[in-house]
Amino acid sequence: MKLVIQVKLLPTPEQTSVLEATLRACNRAATHASQVAFANELKDRNGLQRRYTRI
């Protein structure tokens, strides 16, 4: 069973700028991962992880 709860964030102005910066960094990282996957014809998350994870 999955439980979904909707919440409303009420950050201070300082928290807002930090949250925006964090979301932008996450978006840049996701875009980079997507570009790498596309360039290497990796079709799933596991393929990308296998290629770039050191064990």
Side-chain angles (χ1 to χ4, degrees), residues 3 9 16-17 20 38 46 48 50:
L3 178 63
L9 297 178
T16 298
S17 65
E20 286 177 354
F38 183 79
N46 293 336
L48 188 61
R50 270 194 297 275

Side-chain angles (χ1 to χ4, degrees), residues 21-51:
T22 300
L23 292 174
R24 290 184 195 287
C26 289
N27 192 42
R28 283 192 306 273
T31 299
H32 176 73
S34 176
Q35 290 170 341
V36 169
F38 183 79
N40 291 283
E41 298 181 5
L42 300 170
K43 304 295 184 197
D44 62 353
R45 182 189 67 189
N46 293 336
L48 188 61
Q49 286 177 334
R50 270 194 297 275
R51 186 174 178 102

Side-chain angles (χ1 to χ4, degrees), residues 3-25:
L3 178 63
V4 177
I5 299 173
Q6 188 173 10
V7 297
K8 183 175 182 178
L9 297 178
L10 300 171
T12 64
E14 181 181 330
Q15 291 170 328
T16 298
S17 65
V18 172
L19 181 57
E20 286 177 354
T22 300
L23 292 174
R24 290 184 195 287

